[in-house]
Structures are given as C-alpha cells and as structure tokens.
Amino acid sequence: MEYKDYYKILGVDKKASQEEIKKAFRKLAVKYHPDKTKGDKSAEEKFKEANEANEVLGNPEKRKKYDELGQHWNQYSHAGANEGSFDGSAFGGQGRGHRRSQDFGFGSSGFSDFFEQFFGSSFGGQQFTGDNFQSAGHDLRLDLDITLEEAYNGTTRQFQVDGEKLQIRLKPGMYDGQQVRIKGKGGKGRGNGPRGDIYGFVHLQKHPLFTVSKNDLHCTVAVDLYTAVLGGKTTVDTLKGKIKISVAPGTDNGKVLRLKNMGMPFYDEPGTHGDLYAKVNILLPKELSPKEVELFEQLRSLRKNNND
C-alpha cells in the first residue's frame, strides 16, 4: 500500500505550525469543494485527500504518530502493531466527503486504505491501560449553509450527535469556507477515552442582490434618466435596509458609488465593516407621451445648436 505524504498534499513544510496547516487546508477545501466543482472527479479526489491530510496533521496526537513512523509505518504494522480491533462504522470525521448540515451522524469512513490501516488500530488514539481498552472519539464534520443576511447578523444552528442536541453560534462576519470548531462534542470515545471534536464548514449561499468580495459588497442601483442628468436622490438596498443616497448631476451609466461601512462586518472585530459599492444603471423612460417626445426633440435641438 502506497505511503501518503500528507504534508505534500496540503503543500506545507513538515515544521509547519497548526495555524499554517489550518490555513492550507482551508484554501484547498474552498478550491476543491464539491459545491464549486460539481461533477469534477479529479477535484473531488483532491478534496478528499485534503480532508484526510487535515484529519491527521490537524490533530497533534495523530500528527506525532504519523511523523514518528512515516514511510516505515508498514514495517511496524507487519511486526504486529496493527492487530487491534477497529470499528470503521464509527468513523464520522471530515474525510467522509461532502455532507449537508442536517445529515450528521455516523457511517463508513471514506478515508483511504492507507489511513484506515495506519490509524485504524492503536495509532488512532486507542490505548491499553491495564485491562481497560480506551479509544479517543473521532472528529466529525458539519456543513453549515447560511444566507448572506445570517452571515451579516450572526445566527445559530441546532443539530444532534448520538441523540444529544447541540447548538452552535455563528458570529457576524462569517465567510464562505470558514471553519469553526466545537471542542469535545464529536464522536464518543471507548472506555474513558475523550470525545472528538466537531469541525463546521461555512457555505455562503448566493444572494439575489449582492456579491461578496472579502468584506465588501457589490450591487447595482437603478437611477432614472432625469436624476442622472439633473442630480437628486435614489434608493439603494443594503443589508441594513433601503436607504436614500445622493446622485450628482451628470452621473454616467456604470459609475460606481461607494457607501462606506455598509459592507460585511469583520469577523471578531465588532463595529468594523467593509464598504458597499453600488454600480449605477440608468433607466431610460419608456412609452413616451407625444408631449414628452416633443420636449426631448427640443432638448436635442438646443444641444445641437449649443455644439455648433
């Protein structure tokens, strides 16, 4: 069975910090997530590999054992260190592939054969203490689909693990691909083994009015021809509600108006927001009355005479 270099999969150095590993995994998870690469089998495989690598390197205990044995893991296994029993059906970790928010429980592991043989015995957190067999619980994955409004205001999600009702609070400023951790609420351990953790992955849904760029929002604002020419006020949608903004005389179609501090909040920085950029879309009057046509003709004539 081929050795899998988890450091290479995540693109990090063997001396990388836990934060560097977390950032590398987050970047790959966003890039290869099934929601963005639907039907791409190659991307799906990379997504699974990244999950598996993060399951090991993101866990200090597993990482230590992985580093200690490395490419010699199979020799150690053949020497008899892999004879402990392992119930693969209890594996609810990140590497099982894409799961929806409420589809949360236990099932087949979805990890590679290498992973299961390497960590499916005493290397997976199982210990013998006297006559007692102990096994640490496994980490679980939770996918969290949230709206832009929920990301702006913050929200909560409720779910169950082994019949236990849990709730997670998502702070304002959550972004697509962000990972949150619920410590000690994952799979139950055996014996007196500790419970695993839950890792939640945020998926920001598309919005009909706004697009998101980091903490800035972008939208289109309709401005009638007369306001664009003469100046005045128009209404623009924001996540705080509709507001009136000023439009300068002679505003061009496509001009971008900046609304400072009307964008998304910065995560864990209360009171700090990005900006909202509203692109002007000038609306031409339709179905003109005879009088309106006459007046426009007069305007065209005046304009022509002024330019002669």
Side-chain angles (χ1 to χ4, degrees):
M1 195 177 303
E2 183 181 356
Y3 170 74
K4 297 178 78 70
D5 189 337
Y6 291 135
Y7 291 100
K8 185 176 181 180
I9 289 173
L10 292 184
V12 297
D13 186 81
K14 290 187 176 181
K15 296 181 180 179
S17 66
Q18 290 299 112
E19 184 63 27
E20 289 172 330
I21 289 171
K22 180 180 178 181
K23 288 181 178 179
F25 169 66
R26 180 188 298 166
K27 182 178 179 181
L28 292 175
V30 171
K31 182 178 180 181
Y32 295 116
H33 196 281
D35 282 349
K36 293 186 176 181
T37 60
K38 294 178 180 178
D40 188 334
K41 296 298 182 182
S42 176
E44 181 180 345
E45 187 60 31
K46 289 180 180 178
F47 180 75
K48 290 180 179 179
E49 285 186 343
N51 269 327
E52 181 174 312
N54 184 63
E55 168 70 23
V56 176
L57 301 186
N59 182 309
E61 183 180 350
K62 292 179 183 176
R63 182 181 181 182
K64 180 180 179 181
K65 294 174 181 177
Y66 174 79
D67 289 343
E68 287 175 350
L69 297 180
Q71 297 188 40
H72 303 294
W73 70 278
N74 208 20
Q75 298 175 21
Y76 194 78
S77 171
H78 290 163
N82 201 30
E83 296 175 356
S85 62
F86 173 68
D87 180 8
S89 65
F91 221 114
Q94 300 172 6
R96 293 189 300 169
H98 186 57
R99 297 179 62 85
R100 307 318 304 158
S101 301
Q102 304 305 322
D103 179 17
F104 197 71
F106 298 99
S108 60
S109 74
F111 290 102
S112 70
D113 292 339
F114 167 80
F115 180 95
E116 292 192 358
Q117 189 162 343
F118 197 117
F119 293 101
S121 63
S122 58
F123 302 122
Q126 301 171 353
Q127 301 175 10
F128 285 96
T129 305
D131 296 329
N132 298 320
F133 178 73
Q134 295 183 355
S135 173
H138 296 292
D139 297 336
L140 304 178
R141 176 191 175 95
L142 177 65
D143 286 280
L144 301 162
D145 294 319
I146 65 173
T147 65
L148 189 59
E149 287 80 4
E150 288 176 323
Y152 184 88
N153 296 302
T155 187
T156 59
R157 285 290 187 273
Q158 294 181 343
F159 53 95
Q160 290 188 10
V161 177
D162 272 357
E164 179 183 1
K165 292 183 178 180
L166 299 172
Q167 179 172 284
I168 182 173
R169 183 173 70 89
L170 303 176
K171 299 179 183 179
M174 301 293 288
Y175 51 86
D176 189 56
Q178 185 168 1
Q179 180 178 327
V180 293
R181 179 188 181 194
I182 308 176
K183 191 173 181 180
K185 293 296 183 179
K188 293 181 179 179
R190 295 181 180 180
N192 294 322
R195 292 183 66 169
D197 300 331
I198 297 174
Y199 289 89
F201 293 83
V202 174
H203 307 291
L204 193 59
Q205 298 175 351
K206 289 184 178 180
H207 197 275
L209 299 178
F210 304 103
T211 58
V212 183
S213 177
K214 295 184 179 180
N215 289 88
D216 294 329
L217 294 174
H218 297 263
C219 70
T220 299
V221 57
V223 179
D224 66 83
L225 176 64
Y226 311 105
T227 302
V229 173
L230 302 174
K233 298 282 188 178
T234 193
T235 301
V236 61
D237 289 295
T238 76
L239 289 176
K240 290 184 177 180
K242 297 180 182 293
I243 63 172
K244 290 281 188 179
I245 62 171
S246 297
V247 178
T251 294
D252 291 327
N253 189 51
K255 180 178 176 63
V256 177
L257 307 176
R258 178 191 178 201
L259 284 68
K260 193 174 181 181
N261 297 325
M262 297 300 291
M264 295 296 292
F266 282 80
Y267 185 72
D268 260 352
E269 296 183 33
T272 306
H273 291 72
D275 300 327
L276 171 62
Y277 293 89
K279 184 178 180 180
V280 171
N281 178 32
I282 297 178
L283 301 178
L284 298 179
K286 305 294 183 182
E287 300 179 356
L288 299 177
S289 67
K291 182 62 176 179
E292 288 175 318
V293 172
E294 180 183 344
L295 291 173
F296 270 108
E297 290 287 359
Q298 292 179 21
L299 287 172
R300 180 164 64 178
S301 178
L302 286 172
R303 192 72 176 176
K304 182 178 179 182
N305 292 334
N306 289 337
N307 291 334
D308 288 343

